[in-house]
Amino acid sequence: MPDLSTNLAGIQSPNPFWLASAPPTNSGEQVQRAFDAGWGGAVWKTLGNPIVNVSSRLGSVDYGDRRMIGLNNIELITDRPLDVNLREIAEVKKRYPKHAVVVSLMFDTRDEWREAIRRSEDTGCDGLELNFGCPHGMCERGMGSAVGQEPKVLEELVRWVMDVANVPVIAKLTPNVSHIEDPALAAVRGGASALSLINTVQSVMGVDLDRLVPLPRVGNLSTHGGLCGPAVKPIALRMVGVLARDPRVTVPISGIGGISTWRDAAEFLALGATNVQVCTAVMHHGYRIVEDLIDGLDAYLASKEMKSVSELVGRATPAFVEWGELDLNHHVVAKIDAATCIGCQLCHVACHDGAHQCIHLPGTPAHAGHVAPMAKFAAERARAANPASPYRVPWVDETECVGCNLCALVCPVEGCITMVEQRRASAKDTWHDRMATGRDHVPGGLKDLR
Amino acid sequence: MNAKPVPTSPALPAGRLEEQFADKAPLYTSSEALAEASRCLYCFDAPCMRACPTHIDVATFIRKIGSGNVKGSARTILDANLLGASCSRACPVEVLCEGACVYTGWGRKPIAIGRLQRFAMARGASPELLPRAPRTGKSVGLVGAGPASLACAAKLVLFGHDAVVYEKGTLPGGLDVSGIAPYKLDAESALDEVRFLLALGVELRTRVEIGKDVQPAELLAKHDALFLGPGLGADSRLPIPGADGAGVFGAVEWIARMKLDPQLSIAGVTHAAVLGGGNTALDVVREFAQLGVPNVRLVYRRGESELPAYAHEWSAAKKEGVQLVPNAVATEIVLEQGRAKALKLARAHDGKPTAEALPALDADLVVFAIGQARLAEFAARFPDVRTTKEGRIETDASGRTANARIWAGGDARNGGMEVVNAVAEGQDAARAIDAELRAGGVTRGS
């Protein structure tokens, strides 16, 4: 059985699945139930000076009948008294010595930070997470993402913390920046032990079209919030990957952003995260999801003959490169399997209106000079199999197919459309190669204009 | 003539057998409809649309349900089929749109197109959704108030013409009101749709019989064009002893009374026998079974695999406990004090009766479901309107008869098909009539 335990900058955890700092880690009662369910660690809901929350606080992106593919909140940090939180953190740590208990902090003045760090460490917690990410409410008071967006301030604040901290310190970053490297490197310079990202993405969830007020609605007004959930996973994956491949980032990364399943988690780990933090999926379905997170990751690692989570960490990072490193001679074309095609013709309409006009309806002749390999044969074979049904399998003009994947993405039948490799040349040729050898001229570009 | 041909809802008296049936596919809630609509792939040139005789753009109306544009969804349906509400419930979707759904070919559950259409019509349809052309002053008379005539009349009204429907009976709607299995479509709902069509401006005159209350020549003088949608005639019965006894019915007659007549009772009936093997026969046996008749038998002159009814209907009937008596032909209905008591049978070979007698069946209710008479006599009243040797009114593809001012559609033309076929024929005829009226090709008295 693979070893699922992880070590993030010295913070030990029985598995890589932590609850992110959020409503699921609001109280000791919750965190204990989460640990009982199987979570390996928890980052407590951010402690800070007392705040007052509004109501309502959450908004959802629904897709068709699927609820909450994205969730947005305008809730602030903890609204519970500091003493109560600290007492509960100490209790949890005492009862669950092997689990990772991390205290999230957000304060304003240096004195406040020092005091909070001292009192947090008194709980016996395993680490601290600095909330430089919250993109709503707190940033208007100069905290949260206001810090995350100012590398110099962030670096200074991390120094304040590192001056006094005795446990590992994680800097949690906001994605609401142009270059995630800037705050990340500032945190590293400041001495942070690890990074965690992403916090939520600034967002407006929608507009109530009857009241004409954005969502979520507080009376007859609204404000932007922070988006999380499955919708933000691709944004988070990129940012984690960019930092993981950057040699200047010398500290481990805790990956956050839309992780709902063990697959999501495995992807973050493969792109360089040492562990992962989850929130929205738990807000949607409860702590119980951790059973499959563990079970699925365990089975995956075993199937790949990996003995531990650490063997997976960063395995995909070397394959994540800049565009200029991609092989321009790599070429794929779409192949439609007539035997499994159900005839919905979504590939045809997507290709014709949204791509490169190379998937044609059956019966459409090929343009002169273009080939339709196998199309006629496939048509006859399918008709022989079911004479009653009109033949609806489209065909691909391979001479026109650019290999964009769109057809395969819209096809509802798994494995029906495959992208088959047809190299343009055997040798690899990248844009960087071309730049280096003076071949960066594109035929048909401006230089050809007369 | 009746000033208020369709009483306000509810029009029908309580105590009818129809009221005992459960709706087999109830109206979706909004969230059910959204979930089902979300499954739809929105196929290009969707096969469901092609399979529909009225070519409703199914993929588009379902997408509009998904986007919350339910009025637009209803308009998409009505653009193609003015009787979209009753078709959504009466149609054999298993062999039409849902049968053609790509999910069906994929071995998955097809999109519940019928139920989504019912939802869109119930929640979104209103007369003001439909655009109408300016009044032309042209007038069309329509004979019979079944789905073919009503669809034709409503389409003509939207084209700007006047449309007057003449109905022999007291209720409009034809078999849509009186003939659809109640677990699919109840009569009151069918009448709601008639009210919707009348609200568009169709004029209805009930209790008007051609040849008695009004002559074809009068109609030809009064209207620029005519549309004949009289349906079919009385139920056929085998000429066997006892066929006129009490407890012996024709199928269409029985269904109509079960749906409309509070006097009809089946209290005490323990053995029902239905003679036939078509879809009407299947409706009747399923109705008996669902009404709780303990022994329901379908007596058919050929084997099970040769039943002309839809396979899905027979499979449902079997699940409901209906027994098939195959390769059997009735030779006598035994009466006791004038009432049906038993059914004598002969073995049939290749559909034809032989001399060999089969054991008689107990039968206190016998229904003939072996077809309806054609209305050749009716057609002959109209100049130049001819019938085929099967008794169908002869027309060209647009529904036009040999009389250039008379069109026909529905069961009288197609021999007895689905409501949706009648609607398609009525609407097609309306388009042809409109083109002719606008071109000045036909006018009153020409």
Side-chain angles (χ1 to χ4, degrees):
Chain A
M1 214 177 134
D3 175 13
L4 293 189
S5 68
T6 55
N7 176 346
L8 182 89
I11 306 174
Q12 307 288 335
S13 170
N15 64 50
F17 302 111
W18 290 9
L19 289 170
S21 173
T25 59
N26 201 39
S27 68
E29 186 271 337
Q30 287 173 283
V31 173
Q32 293 185 47
R33 279 196 288 119
F35 286 169
D36 289 342
W39 290 89
V43 184
W44 212 271
K45 172 97 174 164
T46 304
L47 311 185
N49 283 314
I51 57 91
V52 178
N53 267 311
V54 294
S55 168
S56 61
R57 303 176 195 176
L58 305 177
S60 164
V61 184
D62 302 335
Y63 192 80
D65 64 331
R66 299 310 297 263
R67 293 290 191 176
M68 247 166 78
I69 64 159
L71 177 70
N72 143 306
N73 81 88
I74 54 173
E75 183 173 292
L76 303 183
I77 59 176
T78 188
D79 54 7
R80 309 170 79 222
L82 187 62
D83 289 348
V84 174
N85 275 313
L86 290 171
R87 190 176 68 237
E88 291 182 6
I89 291 166
E91 268 172 33
V92 168
K93 187 60 214 174
K94 204 169 165 188
R95 289 193 193 177
Y96 297 84
K98 291 186 173 163
H99 287 66
V101 178
V102 176
V103 180
S104 173
L105 302 173
M106 183 197 286
F107 286 92
D108 195 6
T109 68
R110 188 171 189 173
D111 288 344
E112 283 172 1
W113 277 104
R114 286 178 172 240
E115 168 79 4
I117 291 164
R118 186 184 60 76
R119 294 185 61 186
S120 297
E121 290 185 345
D122 285 348
T123 65
C125 70
D126 299 287
L128 304 173
E129 187 179 78
L130 314 182
N131 183 339
F132 299 146
C134 180
H136 47 85
M138 302 311 289
C139 52
E140 293 168 16
R141 308 176 196 182
M143 292 180 273
S145 66
V147 176
Q149 289 168 334
E150 293 292 341
K152 280 183 184 160
V153 178
L154 188 154
E155 183 177 341
E156 181 65 20
L157 248 163
V158 173
R159 281 191 207 285
W160 290 357
V161 171
M162 299 317 293
D163 278 350
V164 293
N166 298 303
V167 293
V169 173
I170 308 163
K172 184 167 179 178
L173 304 181
T174 174
N176 301 297
V177 293
S178 306
H179 298 282
I180 193 66
E181 298 92 324
D182 296 345
L185 293 171
V188 172
R189 283 194 302 273
S193 324
L195 304 174
S196 61
L197 70 161
I198 59 174
N199 203 305
T200 55
V201 182
Q202 287 190 325
S203 56
V204 168
M205 294 315 274
V207 176
D208 180 326
L209 287 176
D210 294 319
R211 295 184 173 88
L212 295 173
V213 176
L215 297 168
R217 187 170 60 83
V218 179
N220 280 320
L221 297 171
S222 185
T223 189
H224 79 267
L227 181 66
C228 55
V232 308
K233 183 188 128 189
I235 297 169
L237 267 180
R238 184 195 76 90
M239 290 188 167
V240 166
V242 161
L243 297 186
R245 76 183 178 196
D246 191 324
R248 298 169 295 175
V249 178
T250 51
V251 299
I253 297 167
S254 182
I256 313 169
I259 295 162
S260 308
T261 67
W262 66 267
R263 285 182 171 277
D264 299 329
E267 289 169 20
F268 273 86
L269 296 169
L271 256 184
T274 295
N275 73 358
V276 294
Q277 298 185 29
V278 178
C279 167
T280 313
V282 168
M283 290 182 72
H284 198 162
H285 296 295
Y287 300 127
R288 60 197 169 128
I289 66 164
V290 75
E291 199 273 335
D292 184 52
L293 289 175
I294 293 170
D295 197 35
L297 182 66
D298 186 86
Y300 169 75
L301 292 174
S303 75
K304 299 296 177 192
E305 295 179 357
M306 294 186 199
K307 293 185 177 57
S308 67
V309 170
S310 56
E311 277 193 55
L312 173 60
V313 173
R315 285 286 284 273
T317 314
F320 182 49
V321 297
E322 288 181 30
W323 191 90
E325 295 295 321
L326 301 177
D327 183 2
L328 297 168
N329 283 335
H330 176 78
H331 183 61
V332 292
V333 295
K335 287 246 193 257
I336 300 171
D337 176 23
T340 53
C341 173
I342 58 171
C344 68
Q345 298 182 347
L346 292 179
C347 55
H348 161 75
V349 71
C351 184
H352 259 247
D353 294 359
H356 298 270
Q357 300 81 47
C358 64
I359 298 186
H360 303 287
L361 296 179
T364 314
H367 299 296
H370 295 173
V371 291
M374 307 300 284
K376 187 163 176 286
F377 173 70
E380 283 167 0
R381 191 179 49 188
R383 203 174 289 120
N386 187 1
S389 68
Y391 187 70
R392 291 180 54 89
V393 183
W395 58 274
V396 180
D397 183 341
E398 293 184 3
T399 56
E400 292 289 304
C401 178
V402 302
C404 74
N405 283 353
L406 181 62
C407 54
L409 298 178
V410 301
C411 177
V413 183
E414 198 180 337
C416 175
I417 299 183
T418 46
M419 305 304 293
V420 179
E421 187 165 345
Q422 286 185 358
R423 291 193 63 80
R424 295 191 194 281
S426 57
K428 186 180 174 188
D429 187 26
T430 71
W431 184 248
H432 288 169
D433 292 338
R434 290 191 178 198
M435 297 276 283
T437 53
R439 291 180 296 125
D440 54 334
H441 164 66
V442 179
L446 280 176
K447 289 176 188 171
D448 278 354
L449 286 178
R450 293 195 166 79
Chain B
M1 292 192 194
N2 196 331
K4 271 204 165 179
V6 189
T8 45
S9 177
L12 302 169
R16 294 165 294 121
L17 286 174
E18 174 176 84
E19 296 165 80
Q20 299 178 17
F21 288 85
D23 191 340
K24 289 265 173 179
L27 181 63
Y28 273 143
T29 63
S30 293
S31 53
E32 285 172 331
L34 178 62
E36 186 63 8
S38 299
R39 291 177 61 228
C40 176
L41 292 173
Y42 195 36
C43 293
F44 179 77
D45 185 23
C48 48
M49 177 176 75
R50 289 175 166 241
C52 174
T54 59
H55 304 305
I56 295 174
D57 188 347
V58 174
T60 296
F61 94 66
I62 292 179
R63 185 163 181 87
K64 289 182 177 183
I65 292 174
S67 77
N69 179 12
V70 183
K71 276 182 186 291
S73 181
R75 178 166 31 226
T76 298
I77 295 162
L78 287 166
D79 278 347
N81 184 331
L82 289 163
L83 276 73
S86 59
C87 285
S88 74
R89 302 172 63 178
C91 264
V93 290
E94 294 85 348
V95 297
L96 295 174
C97 51
E98 294 182 18
C101 176
V102 297
Y103 278 134
T104 304
W106 195 9
R108 300 190 177 194
K109 194 172 161 286
I111 303 298
I113 298 168
R115 294 187 72 178
L116 286 172
Q117 183 170 316
R118 178 176 176 183
F119 173 84
M121 291 298 293
R123 296 297 181 83
S126 59
E128 61 272 22
L129 284 180
L130 297 166
R132 45 180 75 216
R135 289 280 290 273
T136 61
K138 303 281 186 184
S139 172
V140 180
L142 302 100
V143 180
S149 286
L150 289 174
C152 184
K155 202 84 184 163
L156 288 166
V157 164
L158 296 175
F159 287 148
H161 312 300
D162 294 341
V164 183
V165 176
Y166 301 92
E167 166 60 38
K168 174 174 73 172
T170 55
L171 274 182
L175 289 177
D176 223 12
V177 167
S178 70
I180 308 297
Y183 42 87
K184 295 177 183 168
L185 176 65
D186 59 286
E188 201 67 70
S189 296
L191 282 172
D192 283 340
E193 185 172 66
V194 175
R195 292 183 187 99
F196 171 85
L197 297 168
L198 296 182
L200 295 174
V202 173
E203 189 181 337
L204 173 67
R205 298 189 191 166
T206 51
R207 298 180 196 185
V208 181
E209 193 173 343
I210 305 301
K212 195 171 127 203
D213 303 309
V214 65
Q215 297 303 322
E218 292 174 60
L219 293 181
L220 282 164
K222 198 170 169 189
H223 300 289
D224 298 290
L226 297 183
F227 176 87
L228 307 181
L232 297 174
D235 291 294
S236 306
R237 296 190 188 202
L238 292 177
I240 55 174
D244 55 354
V248 182
F249 295 86
V252 174
E253 170 205 4
W254 193 86
I255 295 170
R257 290 190 57 192
M258 177 263 300
K259 288 173 73 76
L260 303 173
D261 179 3
Q263 307 303 319
L264 183 71
S265 163
I266 57 161
V269 170
T270 58
H271 293 78
V274 177
L275 313 179
N279 288 314
T280 307
L282 265 290
D283 280 354
V284 178
V285 286
R286 292 192 63 191
E287 285 154 10
F288 284 142
Q290 289 179 39
L291 283 169
V293 175
N295 299 286
V296 183
R297 295 192 176 93
L298 181 68
V299 179
Y300 179 50
R301 61 199 173 94
R302 295 177 187 273
E304 182 173 356
S305 64
E306 293 161 289
L307 280 171
Y310 298 126
H312 64 267
E313 289 287 349
W314 173 233
S315 130
K318 275 203 283 195
K319 283 194 193 113
E320 288 162 359
V322 174
Q323 293 171 282
L324 179 68
V325 182
N327 299 306
V329 171
T331 53
E332 183 186 342
I333 299 165
V334 181
L335 305 179
E336 195 177 271
Q337 294 173 333
R339 291 200 62 85
K341 177 74 183 155
L343 188 63
K344 286 190 176 174
L345 299 172
R347 183 182 297 285
H349 178 71
D350 198 20
K352 306 266 185 331
T354 65
E356 180 189 349
L358 291 171
L361 302 175
D362 287 343
D364 40 15
L365 191 54
V366 178
V367 175
F368 286 102
I370 56 172
Q372 290 168 263
R374 311 293 184 201
L375 293 177
E377 244 178 79
F378 167 87
R381 293 178 185 275
F382 293 85
D384 298 328
V385 174
R386 288 192 283 267
T387 51
T388 66
K389 62 179 188 303
E390 299 89 15
R392 303 177 191 180
I393 298 179
E394 216 171 81
T395 69
D396 67 8
S398 78
R400 199 179 203 174
T401 67
N403 183 326
R405 291 176 57 208
I406 303 181
W407 278 258
D411 283 355
R413 177 191 175 211
N414 63 36
M417 291 175 78
E418 302 294 341
V419 173
V420 68
N421 301 100
V423 173
E425 291 177 18
Q427 293 181 158
D428 285 349
R431 290 186 196 96
I433 292 168
D434 175 60
E436 286 295 334
L437 291 178
R438 287 179 189 281
V442 294
T443 71
R444 253 161 278 196
S446 65

